[in-house]
Each structure stands twice: as C-alpha cells, then as structure tokens.
C-alpha cells in the first residue's frame, strides 16, 4: 500500500523546550512529501526522523513568525546540497514576500524552487498533483493561512453487481474507462450501476489563529486535522489576546466538523505535562485523539 502519514518533526510554540523542537510537519501522501511550517532545527529533526530532503515535494508556510519559518534556510540548503533534481513548490502568504525573500536568500538559491504566493482564499494551482490544494485565511496577528488537501472522489466497484450482469475480465476495465458497456444482449450497463462513490480523503492544517470561520471551513470532513492547541481553557484570555486556540476549542471544532483523527500540537512552553491537553480535548471530541510528540508518526486513517 502507498503510505499516507504525518511525520511530526517539532511541536513547540514560540520557544523550544528540552523535549519539544520548534514546529515542523511532513505529510507523506503517496509519492508526495508536503513540509509544513519548518521552524528552527527542522533539518536536524529530519535526520532523527529518517526523512530525506529528496522526499520533499512541497513546502507550505502558514505565516512568518519565527517558530514557523526559521528552519526554511536550512531545508533549502539541504535540497541544494543533496542535489535534489525535482522541482519543489513553496506556498507562503504573499503579504510576507519580503520575509520570504530574506529567508530564501540566506543560502545558495535552490534552482528547483517554484514560488506559489497566496494572496486570497481559494485553490492553489500546484502542478502535477493528484489532489486539490487550497488555502484559507485565518485570524492571527499577521496574515496567516491554513491549508487543506482534498483527494477527488473515486468509484468502488461492487463485485456482486458485476456478477449479476455477467461482467468480468477486460470488460471491467473497459466499463471503468468508458463509463458504460454494451452487453451481448444489447443491454447497456453504466458504471453507476456496478459501483459506488469512494469518497476522497482530506487533510487539514491549522496553525496560529483565533477561532474564526476559516478554522471550521478547513476542518470540515477532514480525515486528519492537525491543529494548534497552544493553550488550555484556563488561559483562554491569553489565547485570544495572542491569536491562538485552546485544546478545548480545537476539539470542539473538530467534533462539529466530523474530523476522524485530531492531532493537537504547537504547545506553549508553560505546559511541561500535556496530559491536561488530552483530558480537555477528550471532553469534546470522541474520535481518534493524538497529542503530538516530536518524531511521532501518525497514519492517515484508512478510507471508511
């Protein structure tokens, strides 16, 4: 089977701790490697996690606060050093282009970089992808976007229905390609009659934001939602002041959106023990709940 999993490279918000590196998340999706928010130390964490630079095909920055982007020069340098030959798309808020250029130009330019500045909510035209990719504006202290990956729906063939019509062998492939098949008795069978919709999978990434409509829109029907839970509800005032979510808020939006696997991350250094984050989120979310740890691997749940 092809691999779809999240490799957690770092989980710290603002200040790294002895146990938590700055942000960094690699989504392995079939042959793609989408690196989200490479904070300081990401290149070293990649080594610990067994992630090669050659596996990165896209880089996505939510915003230009240091804990989400200061690892970019090291990653670009590694792409250059390892002589990665495939192009790498990089998505970033267009309003922060000045900061992006400073980070990019710290190291020798990686020739394969394709810039995809995001200046409005909507689809991002990434080339050569088998999925749709979009950015949605969030509510932080600087312009910030969340990202969502959407796999198109497919079809699941129903063997019992094929048997009813006596369809087998090469005719099955012909029916799938052409959408219909004429039988020897002149009946026409359509693909809809022998299959059902196989819903495409969805992944959402939400960082550094107050609660807003964009959070709910990104999370809707996600098979996996990776979302910041910087604070606990006891510090909800601080969360709102500094543009963040609490574990309870993240869990509530996930429950309402029908999320299957909820991954909490981006924890303030004020919390040494994250068990309270788990307990707080579990009050509101009854799906698979993961409190992220550095170097953890979380599989994208299989299709329903």
């Amino acid at each position: 089977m092809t691999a779809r999993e999240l490799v957690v490279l770092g989980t710290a918000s603002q200040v790294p701790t002895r146990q938590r590196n700055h942000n960094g998340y690699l989504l392995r999706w079939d042959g793609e490697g989408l690196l989200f928010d490479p904070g300081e130390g990401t290149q070293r964490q990649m080594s610990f996690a067994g992630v090669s630079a050659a596996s990165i095909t896209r880089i996505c920055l939510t915003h230009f606060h240091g804990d989400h982007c200061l690892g970019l020069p090291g990653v670009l340098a590694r792409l250059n050093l390892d002589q990665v030959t495939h192009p790498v798309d990089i998505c970033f808020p267009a309003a922060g282009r000045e900061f992006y250029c400073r980070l990019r130009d710290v190291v020798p330019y990686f020739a394969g970089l394709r810039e995809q500045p995001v200046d409005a909510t909507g689809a991002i035209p990434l080339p050569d992808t088998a999925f749709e990719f979009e950015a949605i504006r969030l509510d932080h202290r600087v312009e910030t976007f969340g990202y969502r990956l959407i796999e198109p729906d497919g079809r699941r063939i129903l063997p019992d229905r094929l048997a009813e019509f006596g369809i087998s062998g090469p005719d099955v492939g012909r029916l799938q390609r052409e959408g219909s098949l004429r039988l020897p008795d002149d009946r026409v069978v359509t693909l809809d009659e022998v299959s059902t919709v196989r819903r495409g999978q969805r992944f959402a990434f939400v960082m550094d934001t107050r609660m807003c409509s964009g959070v709910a829109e990104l999370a809707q029907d996600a098979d996996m939602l990776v979302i910041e839970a910087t604070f606990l509800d006891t510090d909800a005032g601080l969360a709102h002041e500094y543009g963040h979510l609490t574990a309870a808020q993240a869990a509530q939006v996930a429950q309402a959106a029908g999320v299957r696997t909820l991954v909490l991350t981006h924890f303030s250094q004020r919390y040494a023990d994250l068990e309270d984050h788990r307990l707080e989120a579990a009050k509101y979310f009854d799906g698979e709940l993961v409190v992220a740890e550095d170097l953890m691997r979380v599989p994208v749940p299989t299709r329903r």
Side-chain angles (χ1 to χ4, degrees):
M1 292 180 63
T2 52
R4 293 185 179 182
E5 66 174 359
L6 178 74
V7 183
V8 180
L9 301 173
T11 59
S13 141
Q14 192 175 43
V15 176
T17 71
R18 291 177 182 268
Q19 291 78 32
R20 302 196 289 270
N21 195 75
H22 266 161
N23 287 286
Y25 311 88
L26 181 81
L27 176 66
R28 297 180 63 228
W29 189 276
D30 302 340
E32 296 269 2
L34 292 88
L35 178 63
F36 293 88
D37 280 6
E40 186 178 353
T42 292
Q43 183 184 183
R44 188 164 185 264
Q45 294 294 95
M46 286 168 55
S47 297
F48 286 137
V51 171
S52 70
S55 68
I56 299 172
T57 57
R58 327 280 174 177
I59 300 173
C60 308
L61 305 180
T62 59
H63 65 294
F64 288 100
H65 281 161
D67 53 331
H68 296 262
C69 66
L70 286 180
L72 180 62
V75 172
L76 296 182
R78 187 62 175 271
L79 291 170
N80 208 43
L81 178 66
D82 290 359
Q83 299 181 349
V84 171
T85 57
H86 61 258
V88 175
D89 292 288
I90 180 163
C91 306
F92 60 90
R97 173 175 282 279
E98 177 184 357
F99 302 112
Y100 162 72
C101 291
R102 290 176 183 176
L103 292 166
R104 180 198 63 193
D105 295 341
V106 166
V107 295
Y109 190 74
F110 171 61
L113 207 59
R114 299 187 298 203
E115 297 173 1
Q116 304 283 355
V118 180
D119 56 12
T121 58
I124 302 173
L126 297 181
D128 308 319
T129 58
F131 51 79
E132 299 174 9
F133 197 63
E134 62 183 10
I136 294 175
R137 184 173 278 109
L138 296 172
D139 180 14
H140 193 43
R141 291 175 290 157
V142 298
E143 186 168 60
T144 301
F145 289 90
Y147 294 100
R148 180 164 62 173
L149 180 156
I150 304 173
E151 179 184 36
D153 292 340
R155 306 292 303 186
R156 179 181 290 108
I157 296 295
L158 303 174
D160 58 334
R161 294 292 290 162
L162 290 176
E164 286 180 28
F165 288 104
I167 301 172
S168 61
D171 284 343
V172 177
R174 189 174 300 115
L175 176 57
Q176 289 178 294
R177 290 192 302 274
E178 299 178 8
S180 65
L181 179 72
R182 185 174 295 278
L183 301 181
D185 61 5
D186 271 347
R187 285 185 301 165
V188 175
V189 177
T190 65
L191 184 59
D192 287 345
E193 291 179 274
V194 297
S195 66
T196 186
V197 173
R198 184 195 67 188
R199 181 183 172 278
Q201 291 187 302
R202 300 183 179 194
F203 170 88
F205 187 81
V206 175
M207 287 289 139
D208 287 34
T209 182
R210 301 175 182 89
M211 189 59 72
C212 64
S213 62
V215 177
E217 189 174 349
L218 286 160
Q220 188 62 47
D221 298 323
D223 293 277
M224 177 180 285
L225 169 63
V226 179
I227 187 169
E228 67 127 314
T230 310
F231 292 95
L232 292 171
D233 245 7
T234 52
D235 296 311
L238 286 174
H240 183 79
E241 180 181 355
Y242 290 104
H244 288 291
L245 298 174
T246 67
Q249 289 175 315
Q252 288 168 334
V253 75
Q255 183 70 23
V259 169
R260 297 177 63 199
T261 296
L262 172 62
V263 182
L264 302 180
T265 188
H266 193 268
F267 306 114
S268 169
Q269 70 272 18
R270 73 185 60 235
Y271 308 112
D273 182 2
L274 298 177
E275 183 60 20
D276 285 343
H277 284 70
R278 182 186 305 278
L279 294 173
E280 182 169 295
K283 294 178 184 177
Y284 304 99
F285 181 72
D286 59 12
E288 181 183 3
L289 174 62
V290 178
V291 178
E293 299 177 5
D294 287 27
L295 308 183
M296 173 185 282
R297 291 174 180 257
V298 186
V300 176
T302 57
R303 291 186 180 88
R304 295 183 188 274

